[in-house]
Amino acid sequence: ELLFALSGRTLRAEPMKGTAPAGARAWLEASEKDQAELAMITDLVRDDLNRLCEPRSVQVPSPRRFLELPYAVQAVSVVVGTLPERRPATGSRVREALSQLHPGGSVTGAPRTAARAVIAELERSPRGAYCGTLAFSRGDATQAALLIRTAERTGAGEWRFGVGSGITWDSDP
């Protein structure tokens, strides 16, 4: 998932909510549950960008599109905004974007503050790379990916892989 892309003054995020097996796009398109979850997370990200960007610059040019991969179909939205000119250096913009957008709404839920409090209460340890961020910067451009279900190697040479999911009233186990 694209947590954010920063290029010059343009800040873009592509929240992702809704996954189906490859070839099941029609099912995903018809899923009211997945559509509602993506709308909720898109609104959360839109609100996050509104805190960083110029007033009235945040737009959702693509509220729901489908990314068809060889192994799955994902529902994704696109949220973009324009950062104010007054912020001086790319590094500070990247830090600001990270502090506002991480952890990603698609792994915390909404409302974010309440969801994070519940997560902290229920989970025994920090999520680490399982739901971390990996970023790449070159010049004034940075792309940051939200790592979802990512394995990490421990200092003891073992691999750690966190798993989890949300269960809602209409989930089909």
Side-chain angles (χ1 to χ4, degrees), residues 58-167:
V58 176
Q59 304 292 319
V60 182
S62 181
R64 192 174 188 220
R65 67 181 174 85
F66 297 91
L67 179 59
E68 298 191 53
L69 304 165
Y71 51 88
V73 180
Q74 300 268 214
V76 180
S77 66
V78 177
V79 184
V80 296
T82 304
L83 295 170
E85 286 189 52
R86 70 180 190 283
R87 292 195 175 102
T90 300
S92 65
R93 287 183 170 166
V94 170
R95 280 190 295 279
E96 246 183 291
L98 276 171
S99 69
Q100 188 64 47
L101 297 169
H102 181 80
S106 62
V107 296
T108 61
R112 186 192 315 258
T113 303
R116 289 182 68 186
V118 170
I119 289 167
E121 183 180 317
L122 295 175
E123 295 182 0
R124 291 181 286 227
S125 62
R127 291 180 168 186
Y130 164 67
C131 290
T133 298
L134 178 65
F136 176 80
S137 292
R138 178 177 286 166
D140 73 345
T142 297
Q143 288 194 3
L146 177 60
L147 305 177
I148 301 175
R149 297 180 186 100
T150 302
E152 64 182 306
R153 191 146 192 183
T154 68
E158 299 172 340
W159 287 93
R160 182 180 338 174
F161 182 76
V163 295
S165 64
I167 300 172

